Amino acid sequence: MSDIMRPMSFAHLMNWILTEHHDQGTIFGVSKIVEHKDGQARPIFQEKIESPFGPAAGPHTQLAQNLIAAYAGGSRFFEVKTVQIMDGDELSKCVAKPCITAEDECYNCEWSTELYVPQAFAEYVKAWFACKLLAKEYGLGDPDGFVFNMSVGYDLAGIQSEKIDKYLNEMRDASNTEVWKECMDWALNNLDRFQNVDEAYVKAITPRISESVTISTLHGCPPDEIERIANHLIQNKGFNTFIKCNPTLLGYEFARKTLDSLGFDYIQFDDHHFLEDLQFCDAVPMLRRLMALCAEKGLEFGVKLTNTFPVDVAAGELPSEEMYMSGRSLYPLTLSLAGKLSHEFDGKLRISYSGGADYHNIKALVDCGIWPVTMATTMLKSGGYNRLAQIAAQFDDKENGAFQGVDVAKLDALLAQLFADCHYQKPMKPLPSRKLDKKVPLIDCFTAPCRNGCPIEQDIPAYLMLVNAGKYEEALEVITHRNALPFITGTICSHRCQDKCMRNAYEESVYIRTQKLKAAEGGFSALLPKLKAGAPVSGKKVAVIGGGPAGMSAAYFLGRAGVDVTIFERKDSLGGIVRHVIPAFRIPASAIDNDVKLMEAMGAKVVLNTEVKSAQELFDQGYTHVIFATGAWNKGSAGLEYGEEMNVIEFLEKAKKAPESLQLGENVVVIGGGNTAMDAARAAKRIPGVKKVSLVYRRTKRYMPADQEELELALEDGVEFRELLAPVGVKDGVLTCHEMELGAPDATGRRTPVDTGRVVEVPACTVITAVGEKVDTALYTANGLAVDNRGKAVVNAETLESSVKNVFVIGDGQKGPGTVVEAIAGATKAAKAIQAFDTEKYVEKNVNADYQAPLAKRGILCNDCKSCDEIRCLGCATVCETCTEVCPNRANVAVWVPGKRMRQIIHVDGMCNECGNCATFCPYDSRPYKDKFTLFWSEEDFNNSENEGFLRLEGDLTRVRLGGQVKEYHVEDASCGLYEDLRKLICAVYANYSYLLK
């Protein structure tokens, strides 16, 4: 694989488009094709645009197919990718790959076209001509209802060079160019392939590709150089002109403060660009002069806001020292600059916008008089070009008029809402990894990441579909096949499934836990009477010591499997930490009671108020197997040098059962940063007499182990976070702490706290330590179990059987404090080791029988997820194809293969420049541009790659690289020796997708 793109001929492009649209109703994979039929358009540059938006100069405007895909999606203003004097191979050597990462805010380290300038020109002409044909043939709108806007840089000498001057002239009039002749000849020679295009229409297509230019300059370009470039393009060339401005016009302090306040404080940059770039005091008079010049020449003038924002590569985001930021973190800066300039010019300065624009804000921007709007980051995310249709739908209001100025009052109102808008607030915690711990397979790469993220691999897509259909009993039946505690997990599960949810690339994950509880509450009364123990299994009798989540789950699964099972619990009720420690405001007792009823329905017996410490005694009573599920109740300590501390478990038990017995005083300090610490802090706020609760932690909130939602709930309850404090001791109502600062990251990626030498005192009548509980090592050693150097029982990883035959250890008592769903996972392992049972019963129900139903949701964002009636599940178990959506160049293609339920992915080598975007969004720990089966267009490209893939040779031979071996096959022969699924895939391409071949 190389990063060299191979532009398609116009014939290849059109054959691809016409064949794909005929067979599948799509254009370069865009299924949500937008038609503009009302005749409305906005005038601009003596031309017109049917919609006020389109792709920005960047990855979506580099190749012809990118521009065509954007047009199909509803774009009508295209800022084609920047050209400069350095191009082709010379420029490619300067661009490190991968060059794009857009998991949240976007970063890139590429800037202008990687093609040679004549190639770039040809791509723009081919796209222009194709869009004219498609507009007429498919009724997509007025063939003259779109505009191509050039982007050129980066200095006057380069722009005046013969190469760039020729480009400018031929973009204005392409009629005498070879590529124009290529397009015209193909269209006239293939009129029989069209229904609505005739010879007269083709011959009337205008060769005037662009009458406008956006000036892009490098950071540090002097103001007089910028003005000279503009004067040249306005006076000498006569182009309508936009000048692209940098967010550095706002000043370092403003930019730093703004990003910090929105949670983007980890983005690193210094002030050197702010000092070297165009200054606001120089920009204003220059812009006034250029506005006057354009008015004199009868041309349109404006600014393009903004360029991307240069920041440091601080965490290995890209293989570069500096990268350029865009997306939602850029939006506050760009909008602020728009406001500043609009006030300075009383709204008379036209603004073309590109800085974090997307579905959530574009209508408001246009309503302020800010248009056209170009985008890149939103289209780099899942849904890709199909996101444009939802954006286009916002502009069906017939508000199409010429630019009348920016409405400064509306813009001020938009700015006033900015800091309260959740779309521009970075979560307190770093985003969890969305990747699965597995590599993408060549075939059948669909997967439901939510299931893989769940320790018990629940059949999440299946029960979500059932809940969505109102079939709660069936949904609960699916849930309880793998999950013994649907009420507890439906209420307090840490929902790691949601971390992996592919919906995160749209707005936020599906509320999987909420839907689980909905199923549990809606289906419980109907399902419970139908549950019963399995057929009795002879020769097995199991004792479970401990009635917490792990013990209850083990008893549930064993009872369902027909095993005689009894729980011995030392307390007066089942539920363990969940029942006795986790506050009632987190989970009601009724939820725990319902899960107990489900367990009892499976025939499990319960002995309460009985502490068992000897496995041998149970063996002596006739039990054949013993499961220790005793939890981690031993106290942890903050290691204070002096003063008293209250253990968190002790505190939470009292707070739950007898809060009146606690005399904590007015000021309470909780030491710790995990979920238990959040529970303790919130519980302490509810104790009578407590006025202030402070949570002390030696790092910042960003590096606390607590979940994001637990932090948010603590803040909502009024808990004060005292970050970067390491406690020393408590005396006379004061907790003395060392003030810390964050140093280099440790092995886990968390930045190591470093003592500053400064001391801070925190009022503390009571100090509660929530720093991790410990397992009861003495219990294990007394029963002859081998333990490791941390005091935990040594177990078989697959069965959780200890060193003593038929003795198992599960739950927190096996691995230390963990989550409820992890306890269920351990219980499942142990129970299956004792008596095998099938957990795969409902796997096939994860697949939607309607393949198109999940696809219909692609590209559609929800503006208010909490109020949305739709569950929003993307149906990943049915279809993924994310890599096809996020590739700007359309280099990943989904193809139907006979005998396969889902489409398979082909990577087209010649269309890829290794930007790396598909690697960001692939749910696997893989790079589709490297790891998916690849179609090569030439022997040279095949030889320059290590990708597994194929090349069609002359005659009927196909060269295939697989497992590092290169062989040639007659793939039409089923006995040729090639892996059958790959043979069928290649044959499907030859038979039904021949337009992929060159």
Side-chain angles (χ1 to χ4, degrees), residues 971-983:
V971 294
E972 75 282 357
D973 180 0
S975 63
C976 69
L978 180 61
Y979 174 55
E980 182 65 3
D981 279 345
L982 291 180
R983 188 190 70 81

Side-chain angles (χ1 to χ4, degrees), residues 451 456-459 479-483 557 839-840 843:
R451 293 193 65 225
I456 56 175
E457 295 188 79
Q458 290 180 94
D459 299 299
I479 292 167
T480 53
H481 191 67
R482 291 179 185 265
N483 184 345
F557 291 125
T839 54
E840 305 295 305
V843 167

Side-chain angles (χ1 to χ4, degrees), residues 135-207:
K136 182 70 172 177
E137 178 66 8
Y138 298 140
L140 302 186
D142 186 339
D144 295 324
F146 64 93
V147 163
F148 276 21
N149 171 244
M150 292 181 284
S151 176
V152 298
Y154 289 105
D155 58 23
L156 182 59
I159 291 170
Q160 288 180 326
S161 68
E162 180 181 354
K163 181 193 296 186
I164 304 302
D165 192 61
K166 184 174 187 286
Y167 167 81
L168 292 168
N169 293 336
E170 291 182 341
M171 284 290 283
R172 170 165 275 160
D173 183 359
S175 59
N176 293 320
T177 64
E178 285 299 316
V179 67
W180 185 261
K181 184 176 184 299
E182 175 193 349
C183 297
M184 182 65 71
D185 288 350
W186 183 91
L188 293 174
N189 291 330
N190 288 272
L191 290 174
D192 59 336
R193 298 192 66 177
F194 296 92
Q195 300 293 318
N196 301 308
V197 172
D198 57 21
E199 180 180 352
Y201 176 80
V202 172
K203 289 184 174 179
I205 293 176
T206 176

